[in-house]
């Protein structure tokens, strides 16, 4: 998943607009940023910096709650807060679902394979039908699937790495 703050122009039940910044909650683990599945919501005046305080735009940045999806079902959400009604919560859920669906096809994931005498991790990133395979932070190969799997760049991957990566891609993207 791409871990980044997003913004949403939310239409309140009364027809007014509320600008919401949605920030993923993360923590550090072994030097990597890990997403918790939780988002902090803040009402903001980013489109009206000189504006006055109003109920639909409650301040420069005001916490208006927390959103989290259930781990066993990414289509079910929990809102902790009392600022947004059910329809407004639904707009936030739809926005987050679109972001996560988009990220599922572009974010990297890791594959374990036997390499250089031991088990090692490889990061795989999909982009326009090409799958970049990185080891130790550097892209070492690119794979493509046109009727069969082919390595289209880099030094030839060891067989175990090639098979592990292609199987992980097929499992993740339910391809071919």
């Amino acid at each position: 998943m791409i871990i980044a703050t997003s913004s949403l122009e939310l239409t309140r039940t009364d027809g007014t607009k509320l600008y919401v910044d949605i920030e993923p909650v993360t923590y550090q683990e072994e030097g990597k940023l890990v997403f918790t599945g939780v988002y902090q919501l803040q009402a903001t005046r980013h489109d009206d910096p000189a504006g006055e305080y109003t109920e639909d735009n409650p301040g420069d940045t005001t916490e208006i709650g927390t959103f989290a999806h259930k781990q066993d079902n990414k289509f079910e959400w929990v809102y902790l807060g009392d600022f947004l009604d059910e329809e407004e919560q639904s707009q936030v859920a739809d926005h987050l679902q679109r972001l996560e669906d988009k990220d599922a096809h572009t974010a990297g994931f890791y594959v374990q394979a036997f390499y250089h005498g031991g088990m090692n991790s490889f990061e795989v990133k999909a982009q326009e039908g090409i799958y970049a395979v990185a080891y130790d932070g550097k892209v070492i190969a690119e794979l493509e699937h046109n009727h069969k799997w082919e390595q289209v760049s880099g030094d030839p991957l060891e067989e175990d790495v090639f098979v592990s990566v292609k199987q992980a891609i097929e499992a993740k993207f339910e391809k071919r």
Side-chain angles (χ1 to χ4, degrees), residues 17-133:
K17 299 292 184 193
L18 178 67
Y19 302 100
V20 180
D21 284 339
I22 303 169
E23 184 174 339
V25 176
T26 60
Y27 64 93
Q28 290 280 336
E29 183 176 280
E30 297 178 8
K32 294 185 180 180
L33 205 54
V34 178
F35 174 58
T36 63
V38 176
Y39 297 88
Q40 287 295 118
L41 307 179
Q42 294 183 339
T44 177
R45 286 195 213 167
H46 65 82
D47 284 2
D48 183 19
E52 297 293 321
Y53 170 91
T54 62
E55 189 171 323
D56 66 305
N57 213 348
D60 291 331
T61 54
T62 302
E63 296 286 334
I64 59 171
T66 302
F67 233 76
H69 63 77
K70 296 182 178 181
Q71 279 194 309
D72 59 340
N73 185 346
K74 69 178 187 173
F75 297 104
E76 288 189 42
W77 295 86
V78 176
Y79 170 68
L80 302 173
D82 56 14
F83 190 81
L84 301 176
D85 66 24
E86 285 188 32
E87 170 56 33
E88 295 162 351
Q89 292 173 39
S90 178
Q91 290 177 60
V92 174
D94 289 345
H95 173 79
L96 291 173
Q97 190 62 48
R98 283 191 306 276
L99 285 178
E100 289 190 357
D101 284 346
K102 178 182 171 190
D103 289 347
H105 296 289
T106 59
F109 61 96
Y110 289 88
V111 176
Q112 298 290 316
F114 192 79
Y115 184 64
H116 287 188
M119 289 303 287
N120 286 277
S121 292
F122 298 84
E123 184 178 17
V124 178
K125 288 188 178 185
Q127 188 171 28
E128 298 176 17
I130 300 287
Y131 301 91
V133 180

Side-chain angles (χ1 to χ4, degrees), residues 7-18:
S7 296
L8 169 67
E9 181 180 276
L10 184 136
T11 302
R12 304 288 317 262
T13 304
D14 66 5
T16 60
K17 299 292 184 193
L18 178 67

